[in-house]
Amino acid sequence: MRLRPALPLPLLLALLAAATPAAAAPCTASFTVRTGAPHGTLPPDTPLTGTLSYTPGEGTPMGAETVSYPATGTLTVTAPDGTEAHGTLRAIHVTRTPHFVDYISFDTKSVAGTLGGVTAYKDPMLLTLYAKGGALTTFTLPATTAQWNTLNTRRTFQLHGPQTFLSLPGRVTGFEGNCAG
């Protein structure tokens, strides 16, 4: 009995080639989040300063439309009062869905902090940048602000509290990202 791969071999090889970066370079990004709901002492529409530092690992295809990169690094948002929330990056997901939307999502774990006086959080904290379907032509992670600007259809931030009413949605603006090397 002959076993057949789940994906045609040429497609599988193309996915693997597109998911393998030349070298894992350390990257940084900065952005602003406008809160979409009250969070502790923070009213809606509070501007949060966001920072992201990460180094992606080798990408792994997760079917035909997504490549996930294990990653190390941190995602932090800081309020004008100096309180913050931060998480440890665990993965970056690149999804290409030509019939709907393309997106790249930063997924964190071990979320903690004191943002707006709230001290209990639940994983994950997410930063997701969307583009129209077909905008991403490869699964390669962007390395410059110009490349990140392809993902400008919608940009969202999510921070989860232990109860639903403590979850914090946000709209991301002014995203700038660059990788060394």
Side-chain angles (χ1 to χ4, degrees), residues 18-116:
T20 306
C27 304
T28 59
S30 61
F31 54 93
T32 300
V33 173
R34 302 298 292 201
T35 60
H39 188 74
T41 59
L42 304 177
D45 205 36
T46 299
L48 306 178
T49 302
T51 58
L52 178 61
S53 63
Y54 63 96
T55 302
E58 185 174 325
T60 301
M62 308 303 254
E65 296 179 340
T66 300
V67 170
S68 292
Y69 295 86
T72 58
T74 57
L75 171 62
T76 304
V77 291
T78 305
D81 65 5
T83 60
E84 70 174 36
H86 55 271
T88 303
L89 205 61
R90 67 176 146 200
I92 305 166
H93 308 289
V94 179
T95 299
R96 295 175 51 208
T97 56
H99 304 292
F100 301 106
V101 297
D102 293 348
Y103 65 88
I104 297 178
S105 187
F106 294 89
D107 181 347
T108 67
K109 63 180 180 177
S110 304
V111 179
T114 60
L115 187 67

Side-chain angles (χ1 to χ4, degrees), residues 17 20 23 42 126 134 151 155 169:
T20 306
L42 304 177
L126 300 167
L151 297 141
R155 296 172 172 187

Side-chain angles (χ1 to χ4, degrees), residues 102 129-132 135 147-155:
D102 293 348
L129 309 174
Y130 297 89
K132 290 181 180 180
Q147 292 169 344
W148 281 110
N149 283 337
T150 301
L151 297 141
N152 62 5
T153 299
R154 190 174 81 159
R155 296 172 172 187

